[in-house]
Amino acid sequence: MTETATLLDALPLRRTALHATHHSHKAKMVDFGGWDMPVQYEGLVAEHMAVRERVGIFDVSHMGDIQLRGPNSLAAVQKLCMNDASKLQIGQAHYSAMLYPTGTFVDDVIVHKLGENDYLLVINAGTREKDVKWVRSVVGSMSGVHVMDVSDYYTQIAIQGPKAQATLQKLTGVDLAPIKNYWFTWGQVCGLHNVLIARTGYTGEDGFEIYVPSDEPTSSRVWGEVLVAGAEFGVMPCGLGARNTLRLEASMALYGHEISDTLNVWEANLGRYCKMDKGTDFVGREALLEVQNADGPTKRLVGLEMVERGIGRDGYPVFSAAGERIGEVTSGSPGPFIKKNIALAYVPVSFIEVGTEVAVEVRGQMVKAVVVPTPFYKRVKTAAPVITAPLS
């Protein structure tokens, strides 16, 4: 899961289009992959709970976007990505990843089918330049494919939580109720025409991501109107801190943590998105086949729940009950909604069974933990969507 190109070329430190707006909210800002990003506004826990119980709004305009167009665009996506894009319908998206020949991760992506010969890959902020170069190196010479980095065209705003639909519905004449998870449409939002409205997100909740023009006045206006629309539901602007704890509770991978250029698909437990038999070859398939034929990976990603008092943070070592170092935490923190200290970690396959006891070294102390099923949190889907009258 941006500014104009001229601004990006002129500034050594890239800023989000909502830079001024974030500062007006007195957000705590940090450098994130070259972007000036908010860590929190009112506080991580409050923001996390707002998304789980009501609605939160995130500036995710740092995410990158690569468009592939032309008669061979599907072939290009199929070669680049491990999922099967031939199954997508126009207006549908899916989770996928671009892999190196070793079967490890260039990046995880969301593939959107905009048209019969038109695809949009949403990529991560910290890997944007690398991803664009990779795409050009793999499919740039293919005939019938035009590769374009369109990241600077859009500000991406995520509206997430049980009241996300009711909030966004006030700002658009598009009926949001029929849009299924991982589908999208175009429509007028906040008076802007042809806005891409996707029912996607990175929080484990229902929600939408909208793509609006990247100029700061437009972006800030839309941000403000979403906050006004969600006021009756207790909307909160949310920063990177809550985004991280929300995705961790939902056990969603983060590049540089659960996935990287040294970890393969089977190790990361993302095989359900890897279509080995989709009928076309893709970069990394041969290496993954070799791992399969060699009885699978030697280590796997697991969920850990801390049994004793202590928080297993990113990078902390994991030990067996016998005291042997066996792995490392990739992401860890308290889970504000589930009220448990949780972590994701890589351990040998002999330790992946649910209920296996391990220990995490926390500031020199061994703290007991246990392997648990993931995701740690899974939302309960409502029987019927909340319907709010659209604009006339």
Side-chain angles (χ1 to χ4, degrees):
M1 12 231 129
T2 52
E3 297 182 307
T4 63
T6 52
L7 277 177
L8 282 174
D9 291 339
L11 292 175
L13 177 64
R14 290 175 284 182
R15 303 183 305 161
T16 68
L18 295 170
H19 180 270
T21 301
H22 293 323
H23 278 290
S24 70
H25 280 288
K26 297 181 180 179
K28 179 182 177 182
M29 310 295 287
V30 297
D31 174 47
F32 181 76
W35 291 82
D36 200 6
M37 293 294 294
V39 176
Q40 61 182 26
Y41 296 86
E42 301 299 324
L44 185 154
V45 173
E47 294 164 24
H48 184 112
M49 296 302 288
V51 173
R52 287 280 180 258
E53 297 175 342
R54 304 183 309 278
V55 59
I57 174 175
F58 299 80
D59 170 18
V60 288
S61 49
H62 58 296
M63 301 294 284
D65 305 283
I66 302 173
Q67 190 169 12
L68 288 86
R69 305 181 70 180
N72 278 333
S73 55
L74 173 58
V77 173
Q78 291 288 70
K79 183 176 182 179
L80 278 167
C81 300
M82 66 182 189
N83 208 334
D84 187 0
S86 71
K87 303 292 186 182
L88 290 175
Q89 299 179 42
I90 295 174
Q92 188 178 16
H94 69 199
Y95 181 83
S96 189
M98 298 187 294
L99 307 177
Y100 289 111
T102 53
T104 60
F105 293 87
V106 177
D107 197 11
D108 59 342
V109 301
I110 304 295
V111 180
H112 301 68
K113 184 172 182 177
L114 306 180
E116 283 302 337
N117 299 303
D118 197 353
Y119 294 83
L120 182 70
L121 309 184
V122 177
I123 60 177
N124 285 300
T127 56
R128 173 183 163 183
E129 293 178 7
K130 178 191 74 172
D131 288 1
V132 173
K133 288 180 180 177
W134 177 255
V135 170
R136 293 193 189 283
S137 71
V138 174
V139 301
S141 62
M142 287 179 62
S143 62
V145 179
H146 181 254
V147 178
M148 188 173 183
D149 179 3
V150 296
S151 307
D152 299 333
Y153 294 5
Y154 303 109
T155 288
Q156 188 178 341
I157 297 173
I159 305 153
Q160 300 283 297
K163 295 297 184 180
Q165 179 181 314
T167 297
L168 183 57
Q169 191 65 81
K170 293 182 178 184
L171 304 173
T172 180
V174 175
D175 184 3
L176 301 175
I179 303 173
K180 294 179 286 187
N181 192 38
Y182 273 77
W183 286 73
F184 61 92
T185 189
W186 291 266
Q188 192 176 100
V189 178
C190 296
L192 301 169
H193 295 279
N194 300 316
V195 172
L196 192 154
I197 307 166
R199 200 160 202 156
T200 50
Y202 191 53
T203 63
E205 292 299 332
D206 185 22
F208 296 85
E209 293 177 300
I210 57 174
Y211 296 71
V212 302
S214 60
D215 62 282
E216 185 165 334
T218 300
S219 303
S220 296
R221 177 176 68 81
V222 173
W223 177 268
E225 290 186 22
V226 174
L227 288 176
V228 171
E232 70 169 289
F233 308 118
V235 68
M236 273 194 175
C238 301
L240 291 173
R243 183 169 166 85
N244 187 55
T245 54
L246 287 159
R247 70 92 191 168
L248 177 57
E249 281 190 341
S251 301
M252 294 178 166
L254 175 62
Y255 191 87
H257 292 251
E258 289 71 45
I259 57 176
S260 73
D261 57 7
T262 63
L263 297 162
N264 71 47
V265 174
W266 309 136
E267 292 169 335
N269 287 333
L270 292 174
R272 61 192 180 279
Y273 302 108
C274 183
K275 308 305 181 185
M276 297 290 285
D277 300 320
K278 65 181 181 178
T280 56
D281 199 14
F282 59 91
V283 179
R285 182 181 181 277
E286 186 174 333
L288 293 177
L289 195 58
E290 289 178 5
V291 175
Q292 273 188 329
N293 293 337
D295 298 324
T298 59
K299 63 181 178 181
R300 293 272 293 276
L301 186 69
V302 297
L304 299 180
E305 181 182 316
M306 307 302 289
V307 176
E308 296 180 326
R309 186 179 179 87
I311 302 169
R313 301 286 188 182
D314 306 15
Y316 284 11
V318 179
F319 293 80
S320 68
E324 175 191 6
R325 180 166 178 166
I326 57 172
E328 185 175 286
V329 171
T330 56
S331 298
S333 80
F337 185 79
I338 62 175
K339 303 289 194 295
K340 296 174 181 178
N341 292 336
I342 55 175
L344 294 170
Y346 277 98
V347 298
V349 292
S350 55
F351 291 87
I352 66 174
E353 186 177 347
V354 170
T356 300
E357 292 185 358
V358 296
V360 178
E361 185 179 349
V362 180
R363 298 177 181 174
Q365 301 295 317
M366 291 298 179
V367 179
K368 289 183 181 179
V370 64
V371 176
V372 295
T374 55
F376 303 105
Y377 165 83
K378 191 171 184 179
R379 73 180 177 95
V380 178
K381 297 182 181 179
T382 55
V386 178
I387 306 296
T388 303
L391 297 172
S392 58

